[in-house]
Amino acid sequence: KTDGSPGMEQRKEKGAYRIFIVDDNDLYARVLKKQIESKEYEVSVYLSGQDCLAHLDKRPAIVTLDYRLPDIDGHELLARILEFDPAIHVLVISGQDDIDTAVKLLKNGAYDYFVKGPETREKLTYAIRNIHQTDQLRNENEMLKKAVREKYYFRKLIKGNSPQIEH
């Protein structure tokens, strides 16, 4: 998702591709961080939904969200994250495999839904890589469109300023 929001611009300017991991299980969150963190990704761990919300001004590109947090419901947290910046990709990770919950979260704007299991880390790594590549292509496309608009601005190509030419 991109809508030209200021969040996407700020992420591009800073250069860091930020990822938030929100999970009340500190050990699990640290394992995910170790799996994801690289020279391309700046990963932060938050153990509560409120802590995540308090740091959204860092403009993450991706938030991995444990559905069951002690301080805030997964649906509410998803809504508040997307209200702050609709360009944030939210990946929900849950211990439950309830299809209705997954469908509702996806309809409400979650990018993807994963059930915690042995292959979760690999699926998450793959999803993050795909999102990052898509964002890079989208940003490159926007830069190229802007360059073409500037270079071939129609008014610059026409000589003269009569009313007929202006029309």
Side-chain angles (χ1 to χ4, degrees), residues 97-154:
D97 58 357
D98 179 26
I99 298 296
D100 291 335
T101 301
V103 169
K104 186 174 180 185
L105 286 163
L106 292 169
K107 281 184 178 179
N108 290 334
Y111 184 86
D112 209 340
Y113 183 93
F114 301 101
V115 177
K116 285 183 183 175
E119 66 284 334
T120 303
R121 290 182 298 158
E122 288 75 30
K123 286 180 182 178
L124 188 60
T125 301
Y126 182 75
I128 288 170
R129 189 174 342 116
N130 284 340
I131 291 169
H132 187 207
Q133 289 173 347
T134 301
D135 281 351
Q136 286 177 318
L137 289 171
R138 192 171 286 125
N139 291 338
E140 185 178 313
N141 188 26
E142 288 302 316
M143 288 184 340
L144 290 171
K145 282 181 185 177
K146 184 178 177 184
V148 166
R149 274 193 303 269
E150 288 173 4
K151 183 171 182 168
Y152 297 106
Y153 179 58
F154 187 71

Side-chain angles (χ1 to χ4, degrees), residues 11 16-24 28-30 32-34 36-37 41-66 69 77 80-81 84-85 88-93 124 128 131:
R11 282 192 291 273
Y17 198 79
R18 290 185 184 87
I19 300 171
F20 285 7
I21 296 172
V22 185
D23 200 306
D24 60 334
Y28 188 74
R30 301 270 173 220
L32 288 181
K33 179 179 179 174
K34 188 165 178 60
I36 296 166
E37 200 164 43
Y41 305 138
E42 180 185 303
V43 182
S44 301
V45 171
Y46 299 103
L47 302 177
S48 72
Q50 294 300 332
D51 201 16
C52 169
L53 292 171
H55 290 90
L56 285 177
D57 60 333
K58 292 182 179 178
R59 301 284 182 191
I62 299 173
V63 174
T64 69
L65 173 63
D66 182 9
L69 294 168
L77 185 54
R80 290 180 61 186
I81 290 169
F84 180 83
D85 184 352
I88 296 174
H89 306 285
V90 180
L91 304 171
V92 180
I93 302 172
L124 188 60
I128 288 170
I131 291 169

